[in-house]
Amino acid sequence: MDKIYKIKDVPKGQKLRFFFDYNFLPIVGIIAAIVLVVVMTKFFFFAPKADYGVILVNTDSEEYLLNQFHSEISKNLDEVIGDVNGDEKSRYTVSYSNINEDTSMTDPEYYSAQLDKYYAEITNGKSLILIGDEEVFDKSFIGEGLCATNEELGLGALSVDEKYVKIPLKDIQSMKDLRFADRLYISIRSKEDIDFDNNSRRENYENNLKAFEKILNIE
């Protein structure tokens, strides 16, 4: 039977080595846990926040089309919009979801995950610029009353919808050459749809609106 040593039985001068030999794994675990907490705290509480955000939704069954457009529009936003809040930095997010109803039959788990992702972005309320195809606008963006109205922003001349802001990308100088610009539209969330319960939400809306106006080249 192995003898269990107590620290008082260890010769003087070897106690520190004894302590680390018998507690190495717990010490490593504690250090790793502390590092993880520090990293997560920095990420969630101190990481720079995006100045504006884009929600990109497609109903095409070929998801790779959306992936290709996602990378293109990210580069386009850097070039066209840049800084919107005066800090000389361009920070934004582009969230994309592929919501094709046919997928609900062939891959219901994937379809459900894409829906959850989309509604999480809508509920979050930080990404206010909306890009989607005809079906997305009719059923979701306009259908659920998310879009700003032409009267609200004075964009009736650009919009292809009588009431809501729905502008074809092919009609926008900065986006007309993007892949799939002929099948996608852009809008922004209505101010009436946002609960301005604090200054942060108001600032977020103003930054998104500035970004949207830069896309449309409105001074």
Side-chain angles (χ1 to χ4, degrees):
M1 182 181 294
D2 294 336
K3 181 178 180 180
I4 299 176
Y5 289 93
K6 296 181 180 180
I7 196 166
K8 66 180 182 179
D9 299 327
V10 178
K12 195 173 183 180
Q14 297 183 27
K15 291 186 177 182
L16 186 60
R17 180 180 176 183
F18 171 85
F19 176 80
F20 280 105
D21 285 346
Y22 278 80
N23 296 280
F24 177 75
L25 290 179
I27 290 173
V28 171
I30 292 172
I31 293 174
I34 292 173
V35 170
L36 180 62
V37 169
V38 170
V39 170
M40 296 299 286
T41 300
K42 182 178 180 181
F43 178 79
F44 285 107
F45 296 101
F46 299 102
K49 296 181 180 179
D51 297 329
Y52 65 93
V54 176
I55 297 177
L56 171 62
V57 185
N58 184 45
T59 59
D60 196 303
S61 59
E62 300 179 62
E63 186 183 9
Y64 76 91
L65 299 179
L66 193 64
N67 290 334
Q68 291 176 352
F69 182 77
H70 174 265
S71 60
E72 281 193 18
I73 197 170
S74 295
K75 181 180 179 181
N76 179 271
L77 294 175
D78 268 332
E79 296 174 350
V80 174
I81 299 178
D83 173 38
V84 297
N85 64 352
D87 64 358
E88 299 182 355
K89 295 180 181 179
S90 175
R91 290 190 290 260
Y92 59 89
T93 59
V94 179
S95 169
Y96 64 101
S97 303
N98 183 22
I99 304 175
N100 180 270
E101 291 188 354
D102 292 339
T103 312
S104 64
M105 303 297 294
T106 58
D107 193 346
E109 288 186 5
Y110 173 82
Y111 179 74
S112 178
Q114 291 296 301
L115 272 181
D116 289 344
K117 182 180 179 181
Y118 164 66
Y119 282 113
E121 286 294 330
I122 292 296
T123 304
N124 179 278
K126 293 183 179 179
S127 298
L128 304 182
I129 298 173
L130 310 171
I131 295 179
D133 56 26
E134 188 86 40
E135 185 176 341
V136 170
F137 265 84
D138 291 345
K139 291 185 177 180
S140 298
F141 293 165
I142 290 178
E144 297 175 3
L146 299 175
C147 294
T149 63
N150 295 322
E151 182 179 1
E152 181 182 340
L153 298 182
L155 295 175
L158 297 175
S159 178
V160 295
D161 187 88
E162 290 185 3
K163 182 177 181 181
Y164 294 99
V165 175
K166 178 185 176 185
I167 304 172
L169 295 192
K170 64 183 179 63
D171 293 344
I172 300 173
Q173 183 65 31
S174 63
M175 291 190 166
K176 66 179 183 179
D177 295 326
L178 290 175
R179 192 190 314 252
F180 317 123
D182 59 337
R183 68 172 74 174
L184 296 172
Y185 303 84
I186 190 169
S187 187
I188 189 170
R189 296 278 294 272
S190 171
K191 191 174 183 179
E192 303 300 322
D193 187 47
I194 301 170
D195 181 16
F196 293 113
D197 56 353
N198 56 54
N199 290 333
S200 177
R201 281 182 177 271
R202 186 173 300 279
E203 181 182 0
N204 180 66
Y205 173 79
E206 291 173 352
N207 286 339
N208 275 269
L209 183 59
K210 288 177 184 177
F212 186 66
E213 291 174 343
K214 281 193 172 186
I215 291 173
L216 302 182
N217 195 26
I218 298 175
E219 297 297 335

